[in-house]
């Protein structure tokens, strides 16, 4: 078995808020009303929305059983197939890691 862990650097702050929903996250500052265009920490349902987005993006790999995702942590794992050489297993694992990183 081979495992690779990836901690992505982007997260909530890259998830756009739909224009029609921006008023829900608005707050008043001394400069006036601020309506954020992306999610930020502290918003209700930010973690659930981000997890749903990640699950949607990687759905095929999750269904295949090669990838597990929790928030911004991605675990990639592959097992040796019957009759597969170590070199072929490493190549297949690296190919999967590159696919996830794209």
């Amino acid at each position: 078995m081979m495992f690779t862990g990836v901690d992505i650097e982007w997260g909530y702050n890259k998830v756009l808020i739909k224009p029609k929903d921006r008023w829900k996250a608005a707050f008043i500052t001394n400069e006036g009303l601020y309506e954020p265009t992306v999610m930020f920490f502290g918003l209700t349902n930010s973690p659930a929305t981000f997890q749903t987005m990640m699950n949607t993006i990687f759905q095929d790999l999750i269904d295949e059983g090669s990838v597990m995702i929790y928030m911004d942590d991605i675990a990639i794992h592959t097992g040796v197939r019957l009759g597969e050489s170590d070199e072929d297993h490493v190549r297949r694992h690296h190919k999967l890691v590159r696919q996830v990183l794209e």
Side-chain angles (χ1 to χ4, degrees), residues 21-36:
D21 293 328
R22 290 182 184 156
W23 67 272
K24 296 175 187 175
F27 55 91
I28 297 175
T29 69
N30 58 352
E31 301 285 322
L33 183 67
Y34 177 73
E35 291 185 1

Side-chain angles (χ1 to χ4, degrees), residues 30-97:
N30 58 352
E31 301 285 322
L33 183 67
Y34 177 73
E35 291 185 1
T37 58
V38 294
M39 284 211 218
F40 52 91
F41 292 104
L43 279 179
T44 302
N45 291 332
S46 288
T49 302
F50 184 72
Q51 184 70 49
T52 300
M53 181 191 79
M54 294 297 287
N55 289 345
T56 302
I57 291 171
F58 294 103
Q59 186 64 51
D60 56 337
L61 297 174
I62 292 170
D63 290 345
E64 186 180 294
S66 315
V67 172
M68 293 183 291
I69 297 177
Y70 179 73
M71 302 303 283
D72 64 346
D73 297 318
I74 302 173
I76 305 161
H77 53 89
T78 56
V80 178
R81 294 179 179 160
L82 189 62
E84 183 178 46
S85 70
D86 288 341
E87 294 84 18
D88 290 339
H89 181 222
V90 170
R91 280 190 205 97
R92 185 168 54 86
H93 186 80
H94 286 172
K95 182 179 176 183
L96 182 60
V97 170

